[in-house]
Amino acid sequence: MKSYHDIGGEPGGEVDQTHYEYSLWELRVDAMLRLLSSKAKVMTIDELRRGIETLGEDRYDKERYYGKWAYSIAALMVEKGHITQNELDQRIEQVRERMEASL
Amino acid sequence: MPHDHHDHSPIEIDEGMPEEAQVLSEALRELLIEKGLFTADDVTKQVAAMSKRTPGNGAAIVARAWTDPDYKSRLLSNGPSAAKEMGFDIGAAQLLVVENTPDVHNVIVCTLCSCYPVLLLGPSPEWYKSKNYRKRTVNEPRAVLKEFGTELPDSMEVRVHDSTADMRYMVLPERPQGTEDWTEEKLAELVNVDALIGVSTANSPV
Amino acid sequence: MSEHRFTVGERVKVDTRNPSGHIRTPIYCRGHEGIVERICGKFPNPEQLAYGKDGLPAQTLYRVRFEQKSLWPSYSGPSHDTIEIEIYDHWLEPAGS
């Protein structure tokens, strides 16, 4: 089966060349991947990619590059038992409340 | 997933409601620090190290290759070691430098994800990761190049490299005419990220 | 016997199989023939690494050069345009097979 990430040769539109500057959170996601793969050695780049390829097409299309990474890393950390889904869901709510309060 | 689903604007992510992915990434960072997988300081240091990786590193390598034929042959035969010679340590990563000639123009794409020599050049430009670039560069490279202002004669071979596996790629552009007496520093200014990916050539001297 | 199954310049064909899982051989080159451009060395198999395994035995990684017109019948550029793709040993077979 052809996966949604295997798109070489498909018809497409003009390439949007608009410059995009990464935010700190996106650079931190990059940093987390490198730390988890090279320092803590609890995941590989290949696992990151497999995670991205199993995000589902909607999420894949919706998220920017490091958004895809964040979701993939989160799923892998749960899969490998480093965190639980429950812990993650609770922390997401806490972080959201903090961020919204600081607006 | 969170039930509180905001309709976010992907461009202005620092204003208004935070993106879901941003919230998730912060939750993840906090939890993984608490679990001892890394420290907050580790993350800060990684971000700082990454900010030093820019296309300027690639430009410096290109300028050296233009002025030193021996360096150029080392670069083409062993990218990582030639990068290290210039002070850019890319660790265990691979680097394959492909040379543009009057007959061959190289262009890099990764159709399956967005593989790129991040440890040398920093994160890739957003367009390199776009679906349109990944879709079209393999089967209509000349049309994509044209959008970047690069029109090549049919007499030249366009050689696409799909970065599907362990290699990472950088293009060695052709040295522009009229730069014979230029210093390395000045030459490096003619090379931007587009030229290193191969959607354009090095800039001509003005 | 050589360490690698194919040599530089040898004509090879990409397998047409279509497994699920994490695969680094793009669909668009499957079933097509090209020439081994270079041998990159041996690398752990990403199809295994992606599921937390060690990826061993390491697979020879080849770069295979294809003529654009052989991949895309409607390719509009000149016939000397090419594309090079990294392909692991277990995805290649001798040409004509």
Side-chain angles (χ1 to χ4, degrees):
Chain A
M1 203 192 80
K2 187 168 154 75
S3 166
Y4 54 76
H5 75 282
D6 189 355
I7 56 177
E10 285 184 7
E14 197 173 322
V15 178
D16 181 354
Q17 297 176 37
T18 310
H19 178 74
Y20 175 74
E21 200 68 39
Y22 292 112
S23 299
L24 178 60
W25 76 264
E26 293 173 296
L27 298 173
R28 281 176 170 169
V29 172
D30 186 282
M32 284 195 276
L33 179 272
R34 289 176 210 290
L35 290 166
L36 292 170
S37 60
S38 300
K39 185 168 173 278
K41 296 191 192 298
V42 294
M43 66 175 285
T44 61
I45 308 281
D46 308 87
E47 288 176 300
L48 173 80
R49 291 187 185 132
R50 188 249 300 171
I52 291 169
E53 291 161 16
T54 49
L55 288 178
E57 193 166 2
D58 288 348
R59 169 98 46 215
Y60 184 85
D61 283 341
K62 182 181 148 212
E63 297 297 338
R64 282 180 182 279
Y65 190 65
Y66 287 117
K68 295 182 181 73
W69 280 34
Y71 279 96
S72 174
I73 294 170
L76 282 164
M77 290 301 104
V78 172
E79 176 186 304
K80 289 168 177 283
H82 294 293
I83 55 176
T84 67
Q85 187 65 50
N86 197 29
E87 272 178 321
L88 183 60
D89 290 343
Q90 283 178 8
R91 187 59 60 98
I92 284 170
E93 284 314 309
Q94 291 167 14
V95 169
R96 185 193 310 285
E97 280 165 24
R98 254 187 279 146
M99 281 182 172
E100 289 179 4
S102 70
L103 281 177
Chain B
M1 292 317 301
H3 55 276
D4 192 7
H5 186 123
H6 299 294
D7 183 22
H8 63 258
S9 155
I11 304 295
E12 297 175 275
I13 47 178
D14 284 330
E15 297 168 24
M17 293 300 180
E19 268 192 89
E20 264 188 73
Q22 180 182 1
V23 177
L24 168 73
S25 69
E26 180 55 20
L28 198 54
R29 189 181 70 93
E30 291 180 8
L31 281 174
L32 295 177
I33 288 169
E34 287 164 23
K35 303 286 176 182
L37 288 168
F38 47 69
T39 66
D41 193 43
D42 287 336
V43 176
T44 304
K45 281 181 177 151
Q46 278 288 328
V47 170
M50 189 55 82
S51 73
K52 293 193 174 66
R53 300 176 178 127
T54 70
N57 295 354
I61 287 173
V62 166
R64 174 67 57 87
W66 281 346
T67 53
D68 180 345
D70 291 338
Y71 181 77
K72 182 174 119 178
S73 56
R74 292 199 295 280
L75 178 66
L76 295 176
S77 63
N78 188 338
S81 120
K84 198 166 186 176
E85 248 186 79
M86 297 279 293
F88 309 124
D89 191 348
I90 59 169
Q94 306 289 323
L95 179 68
L96 223 160
V97 177
V98 289
E99 183 188 15
N100 284 351
T101 69
D103 299 323
V104 178
H105 181 93
N106 295 281
V107 59
I108 315 301
V109 62
C110 170
T111 59
L112 296 174
C113 41
S114 310
C115 295
Y116 184 79
V118 179
L119 295 180
L120 180 64
L121 305 179
S124 60
E126 186 78 351
W127 57 259
Y128 181 82
K129 304 170 171 121
S130 71
K131 286 182 94 172
N132 284 335
Y133 184 77
R134 289 165 48 205
K135 284 175 177 177
R136 294 173 53 223
T137 303
V138 282
N139 67 335
E140 44 174 335
R142 287 172 184 266
V144 172
L145 287 169
K146 202 171 167 183
E147 288 174 21
F148 284 84
T150 309
E151 281 196 75
L152 299 171
D154 276 0
S155 57
M156 280 182 90
E157 173 188 338
V158 170
R159 189 176 293 165
V160 179
H161 303 268
D162 191 352
S163 183
T164 51
D166 296 87
M167 299 294 119
R168 296 294 174 269
Y169 295 86
M170 186 175 89
V171 174
L172 173 58
E174 278 195 278
R175 180 172 177 166
Q177 305 280 326
T179 60
E180 288 70 20
D181 303 328
W182 286 36
T183 62
E184 264 182 64
E185 289 71 26
K186 210 171 154 198
L187 285 168
E189 290 170 12
L190 299 175
V191 180
N192 63 20
V193 70
D194 290 5
L196 297 172
I197 294 172
V199 290
S200 75
T201 55
N203 293 323
S204 293
V206 272
Chain C
M1 216 181 102
S2 158
E3 191 189 353
H4 307 295
R5 200 153 56 103
F6 302 108
T7 54
V8 173
E10 192 169 349
R11 198 163 174 84
V12 290
K13 183 179 177 183
V14 185
D15 200 290
T16 53
R17 68 181 184 272
N18 195 4
S20 55
H22 177 72
I23 307 295
R24 299 302 294 182
T25 307
I27 289 259
Y28 71 82
C29 72
R30 294 191 202 164
H32 290 276
E33 289 190 2
I35 301 283
V36 173
E37 185 268 339
R38 80 175 77 189
I39 296 170
C40 302
K42 288 196 168 202
F43 295 89
N45 184 352
E47 295 168 18
Q48 306 293 322
L49 290 175
Y51 295 88
K53 298 175 187 153
D54 63 10
L56 301 176
Q59 293 281 322
T60 299
L61 181 65
Y62 298 91
R63 299 188 76 247
V64 180
R65 179 177 297 172
F66 300 85
E67 291 170 13
Q68 285 281 26
K69 280 195 189 289
S70 76
L71 288 181
W72 323 102
S74 61
Y75 186 75
S76 61
S79 56
H80 53 235
D81 281 2
T82 56
I83 181 163
E84 296 181 355
I85 310 173
E86 291 159 58
I87 304 178
Y88 296 93
D89 181 81
H90 61 291
W91 274 92
L92 293 175
E93 47 195 86
S97 53

